[in-house]
Amino acid sequence: TGTMLYIQFEATNDGGTEAFAFDNIVIEGILPIECSDDLFISEYMEGSSNNKCIEIYNPTSETVDLAAQAYTLDFYFNGSESAGTSIELDGTIVPGGVWVVCDNDTDFAGLGITADQESTSGFFSGDDAVVLAADGVEIDVIGQIGVRPSGGWTGGDASTQNQTLRRKESITSGDPNGGDAFDPSVEWDNFAQNTADGFGEHTTACVDDEPDCSITNVVITEGPECGDPPNDDASFFTLS
């Protein structure tokens, strides 16, 4: 269920004896991807009519109290540099869990989606920047604040307009820079308008704890005899 590493050690014959010692061996492999220490947006739906939802993911090892830490969803309409809507989030997200926030007029039954929090505030369109903030500090941004792109932000087949965007599993933290150019294809997978079957859970490549590593099998195969190339005083062994 993991990566098999094949490691070759070179042991030099010491003084003609046939005893070899391997001391202070350090094996460096592929380290796990560390989880972010803060929430980020994991799904975005800019659907037809009032079908507008945002999913927020908790990659941390702690339950997050949204109200206690003053989390908000802020919408910047029509290229404005000030938020026109700020929704105060209220609830808790367990480690690895999500919080879904939707326009209260979303077609919940038709889309088969359940919201953890509904709001009567004005929601975003495809050309409006969406910001997840904590105590006024931007921690994740979709779009570019102060910019109103015609037809929404696009990249490849992905668009913030008339699509659902889902964060790629390889993305393990938010994009807190609301002033840089935004290409949704870099961090998001795109789906047809009104796609809602991914809301309610999220998968990411990060791991919260470094996994335990152990050697379960050792096979030692003697290499060339001493005196043979490539080294006159070495034998080679393969450990797997």
Side-chain angles (χ1 to χ4, degrees):
T1 59
T3 300
M4 177 70 75
L5 300 179
Y6 294 92
I7 304 150
Q8 179 170 286
F9 297 100
E10 179 180 337
T12 302
N13 190 320
D14 184 11
T17 67
E18 294 186 3
F20 301 94
F22 299 102
D23 299 321
N24 301 319
I25 296 171
V26 177
I27 300 173
E28 295 183 355
I30 300 173
L31 294 177
I33 302 172
E34 293 185 2
C35 295
S36 170
D37 59 1
D38 212 336
L39 309 181
F40 62 86
I41 298 171
S42 49
E43 195 142 355
Y44 160 105
M45 180 169 66
E46 207 283 305
S48 59
S49 187
N50 294 309
N51 294 333
K52 320 287 185 184
C53 293
I54 295 290
E55 179 187 85
I56 300 164
Y57 175 68
N58 178 11
T60 76
S61 59
E62 303 292 335
T63 296
V64 175
D65 187 323
L66 297 168
Q69 299 184 40
Y71 280 94
T72 59
L73 272 178
D74 303 324
F75 306 145
Y76 291 72
F77 301 123
N78 303 326
S80 174
E81 295 186 355
S82 300
T85 285
S86 184
I87 300 173
E88 296 180 356
L89 303 181
D90 186 12
T92 57
I93 315 180
V94 298
V98 298
W99 189 257
V100 178
V101 183
C102 295
D103 187 307
N104 69 301
D105 289 322
T106 294
D107 181 9
F108 296 105
L111 297 177
I113 188 173
T114 300
D116 298 294
Q117 185 172 344
E118 300 176 25
S119 176
T120 60
S121 300
F123 265 65
F124 56 88
S125 296
D127 58 358
D128 301 323
V130 174
V131 176
L132 174 64
D135 200 18
V137 178
E138 298 164 7
I139 59 174
D140 199 10
V141 182
I142 297 175
Q144 184 177 3
I145 296 172
V147 174
R148 185 184 187 184
S150 176
W153 286 275
T154 60
D157 294 328
S159 174
T160 55
Q161 189 169 74
N162 301 329
Q163 286 189 0
T164 290
L165 300 177
R166 186 176 303 152
R167 215 74 181 247
K168 296 178 184 292
E169 290 188 16
S170 59
I171 303 303
T172 58
S173 62
D175 173 11
N177 189 349
D180 62 350
F182 181 75
D183 178 349
S185 67
V186 175
E187 295 192 358
W188 301 83
D189 293 323
N190 62 293
F191 300 87
Q193 188 179 45
N194 294 326
T195 298
D197 58 357
F199 281 89
E201 61 180 5
H202 182 66
T203 302
T204 182
C206 77
V207 291
D208 185 62
D209 295 313
E210 194 167 321
D212 293 331
C213 297
S214 61
I215 296 175
T216 57
N217 186 48
V218 177
V219 178
I220 300 176
T221 304
E222 188 173 355
E225 294 290 337
C226 290
D228 291 341
N231 188 319
D232 289 344
D233 290 322
S235 289
F236 293 88
F237 302 84
T238 299
L239 172 67
S240 62

